[in-house]
Short mmCIF file of all heavy atoms in Angstrom, two decimals:
data_model
loop_
_atom_site.label_atom_id
_atom_site.label_comp_id
_atom_site.label_asym_id
_atom_site.label_seq_id
_atom_site.Cartn_x
_atom_site.Cartn_y
_atom_site.Cartn_z
N GLY A 173 97.74 87.87 91.04
CA GLY A 173 96.53 88.36 90.76
C GLY A 173 95.55 87.45 90.17
O GLY A 173 94.67 87.83 89.19
N GLU A 317 95.36 102.69 109.66
CA GLU A 317 94.60 103.29 110.73
C GLU A 317 93.20 103.12 110.49
O GLU A 317 92.38 102.81 111.57
CB GLU A 317 94.94 104.78 110.96
CG GLU A 317 94.26 105.39 112.19
CD GLU A 317 94.65 106.75 112.45
OE1 GLU A 317 95.69 107.21 111.84
OE2 GLU A 317 94.07 107.45 113.27
N PRO A 333 87.83 103.96 124.95
CA PRO A 333 88.63 104.73 124.15
C PRO A 333 89.52 104.05 123.04
O PRO A 333 89.87 102.94 123.24
CB PRO A 333 89.51 105.41 125.16
CG PRO A 333 88.88 105.24 126.45
CD PRO A 333 88.14 104.01 126.34
N GLU A 501 96.94 108.85 98.44
CA GLU A 501 97.27 109.66 97.16
C GLU A 501 95.89 109.76 96.27
O GLU A 501 95.74 110.85 95.80
CB GLU A 501 98.22 109.04 96.37
CG GLU A 501 98.67 109.73 95.14
CD GLU A 501 99.79 109.19 94.39
OE1 GLU A 501 100.10 107.86 94.55
OE2 GLU A 501 100.23 109.82 93.44
N ALA A 509 90.90 117.43 92.44
CA ALA A 509 90.15 117.49 91.18
C ALA A 509 88.78 118.15 91.37
O ALA A 509 88.28 118.94 90.66
CB ALA A 509 89.80 116.06 90.63
N PRO A 514 85.18 122.10 86.72
CA PRO A 514 84.37 123.32 86.23
C PRO A 514 83.26 123.70 87.08
O PRO A 514 82.57 122.90 87.64
CB PRO A 514 83.98 122.74 84.91
CG PRO A 514 84.90 121.66 84.56
CD PRO A 514 85.36 121.08 85.76
N GLN A 541 89.65 100.95 65.35
CA GLN A 541 88.64 100.91 64.34
C GLN A 541 88.43 99.55 63.69
O GLN A 541 87.46 99.10 63.29
CB GLN A 541 88.67 102.09 63.34
CG GLN A 541 88.56 103.40 63.90
CD GLN A 541 87.22 103.74 64.34
OE1 GLN A 541 86.19 103.21 63.76
NE2 GLN A 541 87.07 104.36 65.48
N LEU A 587 109.86 123.16 63.81
CA LEU A 587 108.89 122.18 64.65
C LEU A 587 108.05 123.09 65.54
O LEU A 587 106.86 122.74 65.89
CB LEU A 587 109.84 121.33 65.49
CG LEU A 587 109.16 120.27 66.22
CD1 LEU A 587 108.25 119.35 65.41
CD2 LEU A 587 110.15 119.49 67.04
#
Side-chain angles (χ1 to χ4, degrees):
E317 182 170 348
E501 183 180 12
Q541 291 294 322
L587 183 60

